[in-house]
Amino acid sequence: MTSYKTPDIKINYEEREVPPYDLPDPLVDEKGNAVNQTSWPHRRREILQLFETHVYGRMPKIPYEENITVNAEIVEEGPCSDWATRQQVVITFANETYRQKAHLLISLPITNQHSAPVFAGLNFFGNQTVLADDKIHITEQWVRNSHSLGITNHRANNQTRGTYAHRWQIEHVIKRGYGLATIYCGDFDPDYDDGYKNGIHPLFYQENQVSPKPNEIGAIGAWAWGLSRIFDYLANHSKVDASRIGLIGHSRLGKTALWAGATDERFSFVISNNSGCGGAALSRRCFGENTEFINTHFPHWFCENFREYNNREEMLPVDQHMLIALLAPRPVYIASAEEDLWADPVGEFLSCVNADPVYQLLCNQGLSNLDMPSIESPLHGRISYHIRSGKHDLSRYDWD
Ligand code: GCU
């Protein structure tokens, strides 16, 4: 379990101390009308706007609407084994005064004659961590220091190659016929409270603007925007099946995958692993990490307005089941881990339960059972869920 020093912030791990709460109903609109299939698109827009205004911030427009040029260049490619190809693409986003580069790594099955379905996801410490392959570009961006990865000066080094291979399972994924596309999240916004001076934020500032407005995106919004740019690139890739590009993300990047799937309906499925507070877990349960904690320790993740709900979760006009509802009717998979109480597995499951009515309305299929399953007994449906044994991590079990 994550242990942080929280002198003034109470963290609850007792089910009996979960406060009583009422969840906002995704199927009742802001005027109090019951929502049906015909009115769902309108209600969906309402919910999306509430999340934008109060939680993640308004997503910036797509590049061409903002006079941002996007230039993608394949800088390296080749076989990375006898089963996979590797392609490395540098995507540059620029306006008259600012430019930001993102390094995209794409791995596809070598034997595939046709186009492959692809998992798109961001990684935590650079593309070089996802596979031990000397040809993969080592990120030159700021990275978090990490004792276990031997990073002490916010720079990745050769030693970090392949250190997160277990989280990506590339060989397994590729041999099952899928491709994988990943970018380091720090290429869109470095994961520290930098006042939004770097990453993609400055691309969207109006004249004299130096930081996002209270309803504009923080890091999670920037990362989600980046995932959509991966889609843009893959959509025109001859070896990729653009109708089957889905999202995968773990932890903070699992929160990001959910938000990216909500804001970009081109993604055909979403897998969110151990995403917890601000991800799949219901905020109102205040179990494990809570709003005050997350906004205090990670003030740069959400929009400034979200801080209004520190210790006032019951005032939120949304809760996280509505984030899952925004994915409907596309398949979504929420995964928890038994020892990851910080991310509130029960709260993650209850979000699925409370998103189920929206899935039922739209496609007559949601969760296959509304009771929380036991460990490693996955529920498969349009909404899928499992809780595996063990800690906060993304494992082979989760991929399977
Ligand atoms: C911290 C944080 C979580 C987050 C996790 C991660 O534990 O409190 O909200 O999901 O880091 O991204 O690893």
Side-chain angles (χ1 to χ4, degrees):
M1 194 184 311
T2 315
S3 67
Y4 286 101
K5 291 201 186 84
T6 56
D8 305 319
I9 302 175
K10 185 175 172 289
I11 300 292
N12 173 42
Y13 288 115
E14 296 296 334
E15 204 54 49
R16 64 172 183 276
E17 289 194 17
V18 168
Y21 58 85
D22 285 321
L23 292 176
D25 189 338
L27 292 180
V28 175
D29 73 12
E30 296 213 292
K31 291 193 179 129
N33 299 319
V35 173
N36 56 29
Q37 277 195 9
T38 315
S39 57
W40 169 251
H42 167 75
R43 175 62 176 149
R44 189 181 185 283
R45 274 193 299 280
E46 277 183 358
I47 297 174
L48 192 64
Q49 276 169 14
L50 290 170
F51 274 109
E52 288 202 318
T53 308
H54 300 275
V55 184
Y56 303 102
R58 188 158 42 80
M59 288 301 271
K61 291 197 180 133
I62 42 182
Y64 62 80
E65 289 178 353
E66 281 278 346
N67 286 331
I68 294 169
T69 58
V70 181
N71 176 52
E73 188 189 346
I74 299 172
V75 290
E76 193 274 339
E77 60 189 333
C80 74
S81 63
D82 56 4
W83 38 267
T85 61
R86 178 193 57 246
Q87 193 169 57
Q88 301 192 75
V89 184
V90 174
I91 309 178
T92 308
F93 305 96
N95 64 19
E96 279 167 13
T97 53
Y98 191 82
R99 123 187 347 252
Q100 180 69 18
K101 283 185 194 300
H103 287 256
L104 169 63
L105 171 68
I106 305 170
S107 188
L108 293 167
I110 216 162
T111 53
N112 201 311
Q113 299 302 311
H114 308 288
S115 50
V118 170
F119 292 96
L122 301 178
N123 64 72
F124 282 77
F125 288 95
N127 296 346
Q128 80 286 350
T129 61
V130 308
L131 186 70
D133 171 351
D134 285 350
K135 293 257 170 40
I136 298 178
H137 173 83
I138 297 182
T139 183
E140 288 144 18
Q141 295 284 345
W142 180 99
V143 287
R144 277 190 292 143
N145 284 340
S146 159
H147 184 68
S148 57
L149 267 53
I151 304 174
T152 51
N153 55 356
H154 295 297
R155 295 288 153 216
N157 53 42
N158 217 21
Q159 231 181 299
T160 62
R161 286 195 181 283
T163 41
Y164 276 115
H166 74 283
R167 281 199 181 159
W168 291 90
Q169 299 287 329
I170 292 192
E171 180 169 356
H172 185 49
V173 169
I174 299 280
K175 287 186 171 168
R176 288 281 296 266
Y178 299 93
L180 197 94
T182 186
I183 294 184
Y184 168 46
C185 65
D187 284 1
F188 298 107
D189 195 24
D191 193 2
Y192 68 102
D193 187 12
D194 60 359
Y196 306 106
K197 291 190 180 49
N198 39 34
I200 60 155
H201 288 93
L203 283 172
F204 302 100
Y205 291 155
Q206 307 296 314
E207 221 178 319
N208 300 325
Q209 187 181 0
V210 291
S211 62
K213 297 181 188 139
N215 67 344
E216 290 180 342
I217 55 162
I220 291 178
W223 298 334
W225 185 89
L227 284 166
S228 288
R229 306 294 72 78
I230 296 183
F231 193 105
D232 296 346
Y233 185 80
L234 295 179
N236 299 316
H237 194 297
S238 62
K239 292 278 178 195
V240 172
D241 176 354
S243 69
R244 291 188 295 162
I245 300 173
L247 289 158
I248 181 152
H250 168 63
S251 207
R252 67 198 68 184
L253 299 176
K255 310 180 206 299
T256 304
L258 291 168
W259 181 232
T263 52
D264 190 336
E265 293 186 87
R266 296 175 301 172
F267 288 109
S268 61
F269 63 89
V270 180
I271 302 172
S272 174
N273 192 69
N274 302 181
S275 59
C277 181
L282 289 177
S283 302
R284 278 168 174 76
R285 278 175 44 86
C286 303
F287 187 105
E289 186 171 29
N290 58 41
T291 306
E292 183 180 14
F293 184 96
I294 206 164
N295 281 324
T296 307
H297 284 75
F298 308 100
H300 57 293
W301 283 0
F302 299 88
C303 72
E304 201 182 310
N305 283 343
F306 192 45
R307 298 181 203 166
E308 299 290 318
Y309 302 97
N310 288 355
N311 244 319
R312 295 170 70 234
E313 284 84 353
E314 72 285 2
M315 301 306 289
L316 271 163
V318 287
D319 210 318
Q320 299 305 109
H321 62 304
M322 294 159 89
L323 182 61
I324 296 176
L326 290 176
L327 305 172
R330 293 166 291 161
V332 57
Y333 201 125
I334 304 298
S336 308
E338 187 182 14
E339 291 171 43
D340 189 18
L341 294 182
W342 184 241
D344 186 14
V346 173
E348 295 186 314
F349 181 68
L350 288 176
S351 276
C352 298
V353 171
N354 288 285
D356 183 71
V358 177
Y359 273 78
Q360 296 296 346
L361 174 75
L362 299 182
C363 62
N364 273 319
Q365 297 172 53
L367 269 174
S368 58
N369 192 325
L370 299 181
D371 295 324
M372 175 122 181
S374 51
I375 306 301
E376 288 162 22
S377 314
L379 294 179
H380 290 149
R382 273 298 167 118
I383 305 176
S384 298
Y385 176 86
H386 74 234
I387 175 165
R388 65 158 165 76
S389 58
K391 293 192 185 16
H392 184 75
D393 204 353
L394 176 58
S395 67
R396 168 73 180 254
Y397 178 87
D398 299 309
W399 278 100
D400 281 340

